[in-house]
């Protein structure tokens, strides 16, 4: 028996809610508002062939669709509350739907973020999630708060997702375990929600690295009207990426994209608090440079010499 739209919603996407006042099933979901908090809202769409390969496992796709949205909440220092799911599917394929829902719901549970509604239609595979989070009034981490003298930090490691993409494009060859490591980084990013929350009141600005570190840093520099010096070869990277030629390492770490780590700034004298926030979140953070009053970006190598090469961030229309 083919599955109809409403059976599909009931079977895979209707879950009991605890925090929301009303979940899936009516014309609107109803969320409770907490006093002293602001709602943080963000939406990210995933399009087949553009954001993911058709070969991706359905549960990895479910995970990633929510992960990239939670990453935006993390970058604001917001606590996840709820999300909606707008889904276009070529057909009601239960193998796909059960895997997709499993990956999605598992990550949602891990972050206590409830699925409260959405829309389902037939069409080319397209996933659009809207997440809702909350943050104490005035404490959201913004792109515009970086100040001259601040240290620049990044969480975890960067570049593996891009290295995986280069493997899928047959530009780089990696053996079994090494390929699994970078493929996991590309397909199952972990949004740095706990770190974002711990950085409230400590970081002066933050952004999540989705389109390449330098491109995303550029957004912070413009929003904050300042410049930066970045020690390119100090960017944290996996041992798999560190075994690649230096040029590949630089491309992947500086311009890779799909990292979903947090790039943030904090005053020098708050370094101990930054490290405490990282420990609390169970993550490493690395200082990769500093914010300068002079506009523009200065990229230095391991000897402190300028790197002339340009590394472009990702732009869907360029
Ligand atoms: P409407 O006619 O008001 O657009 P729908 O018939 O599209 O409502 O959806 C019925 C209910 O199912 C609504 O509560 C909607 O939020 C929910 N819903 C639809 N698709 C999804 C989905 N993919 N995931 C979660 N909830 C969904
Ligand atoms: Mg609808």
């Amino acid at each position: 028996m083919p599955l109809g739209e409403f059976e599909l919603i009931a079977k895979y996407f209707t879950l009991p809610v605890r925090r929301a006042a009303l979940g899936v099933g009516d014309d609107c979901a109803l969320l409770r508002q907490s006093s002293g908090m602001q709602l943080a809202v963000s939406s990210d769409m995933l399009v087949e062939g553009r954001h993911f390969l058709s070969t991706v496992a359905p549960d990895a796709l479910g995970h990633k669709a929510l992960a990239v949205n939670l990453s935006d909440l993390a970058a604001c220092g917001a606590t996840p509350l709820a999300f909606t799911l707008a889904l276009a599917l070529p057909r009601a394929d239960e193998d796909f739907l059960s895997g997709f829902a499993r990956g999605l719901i598992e990550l949602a549970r891990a972050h206590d973020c409830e699925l409260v509604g959405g829309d389902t239609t037939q069409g080319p595979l397209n996933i659009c999630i809207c997440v809702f989070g909350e943050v104490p009034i005035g404490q959201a981490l913004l792109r515009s708060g970086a100040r001259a003298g601040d240290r620049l930090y990044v969480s975890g490691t960067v570049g593996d997702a891009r290295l995986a993409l280069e493997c899928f494009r047959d530009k780089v060859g990696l053996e079994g375990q090494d390929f699994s490591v970078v493929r996991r980084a590309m397909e199952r990013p972990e949004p740095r929600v706990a770190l974002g929350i711990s950085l409230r009141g400590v970081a002066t600005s933050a952004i999540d690295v989705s389109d390449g570190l330098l491109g995303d840093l550029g957004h912070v520099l413009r929003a904050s009207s300042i410049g930066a010096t970045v020690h390119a070869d100090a960017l944290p990277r996996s041992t798999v990426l560190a075994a690649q030629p230096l040029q590949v390492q630089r491309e992947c770490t500086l311009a890779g994209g799909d990292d979903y780590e947090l790039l943030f700034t904090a005053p020098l004298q708050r370094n101990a608090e930054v490290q405490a926030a990282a420990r609390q979140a169970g993550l490493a953070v690395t200082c990769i440079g500093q914010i300068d009053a002079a506009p523009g970006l200065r990229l230095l190598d391991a000897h402190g010499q300028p790197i002339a090469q340009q590394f472009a961030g990702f732009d869907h229309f360029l």
Side-chain angles (χ1 to χ4, degrees), residues 5-6 9 13 23-27 85 87 115-120:
E5 176 187 336
F6 297 102
I9 296 166
F13 302 117
V24 169
D26 215 305
D27 296 311
L85 168 70
L87 199 56
L115 176 56
V116 294
D119 198 24
T120 305

Side-chain angles (χ1 to χ4, degrees), residues 275-299:
Q275 298 305 333
R279 269 194 307 280
Q280 207 177 339
L283 269 176
V285 301
T286 308
C287 177
I288 60 165
Q290 77 203 35
I291 299 300
D292 310 321
L297 177 75
R298 286 152 290 281
L299 201 56

Side-chain angles (χ1 to χ4, degrees), residues 175-191:
E175 303 290 311
Q177 187 57 29
D178 286 355
F179 179 59
S180 306
V181 167
V182 298
R183 180 176 190 173
R184 191 171 174 84
M186 181 173 95
E187 293 184 348
R188 291 191 158 268
E190 283 300 334

Side-chain angles (χ1 to χ4, degrees), residues 115-312:
L115 176 56
V116 294
D119 198 24
T120 305
T121 176
Q122 196 272 331
L125 185 56
N126 189 326
I127 305 147
C128 186
I129 286 179
C130 183
V131 275
F132 303 87
E134 64 179 12
V135 60
I137 292 171
Q139 287 192 34
L141 305 175
L142 305 181
R143 298 176 178 189
S144 53
R147 295 292 173 261
D150 284 355
R151 288 291 179 264
L152 179 65
Y153 298 88
V154 70
S155 64
T157 63
V158 286
D160 276 356
R162 176 58 178 271
L163 188 59
L165 185 61
E166 295 305 320
C167 291
F168 279 108
R169 289 170 167 167
D170 283 329
K171 301 263 178 62
V172 174
L174 285 180
E175 303 290 311
Q177 187 57 29
D178 286 355
F179 179 59
S180 306
V181 167
V182 298
R183 180 176 190 173
R184 191 171 174 84
M186 181 173 95
E187 293 184 348
R188 291 191 158 268
E190 283 300 334
R192 303 311 192 188
V193 173
L195 180 62
I197 293 168
S198 297
L199 287 172
R200 285 178 195 161
V202 177
T204 49
S205 74
I207 190 168
D208 64 321
V209 182
S210 54
D211 297 334
L213 187 138
L214 290 186
D216 290 321
L217 175 59
H219 297 309
V220 172
L221 300 187
R222 274 185 294 281
S224 300
S225 308
I226 35 84
T229 302
V230 172
H231 299 281
D233 297 328
L235 263 56
R237 67 205 69 187
S238 69
T239 52
V240 178
L241 180 54
Q244 293 293 312
L246 184 61
Q247 192 51 33
V248 174
Q249 293 184 44
R250 285 184 178 165
E251 279 286 344
C252 290
T253 53
L254 293 167
D258 251 8
D259 296 304
Y260 304 104
E261 293 296 346
L262 295 190
L263 178 69
F264 61 96
T265 55
L268 178 59
Q269 61 273 24
R270 308 203 76 166
N271 181 58
E273 287 162 85
V274 168
Q275 298 305 333
R279 269 194 307 280
Q280 207 177 339
L283 269 176
V285 301
T286 308
C287 177
I288 60 165
Q290 77 203 35
I291 299 300
D292 310 321
L297 177 75
R298 286 152 290 281
L299 201 56
L300 305 180
D301 69 13
H303 308 290
Q305 296 302 309
I307 298 172
Q309 195 188 339
Q310 298 289 311
F311 296 89

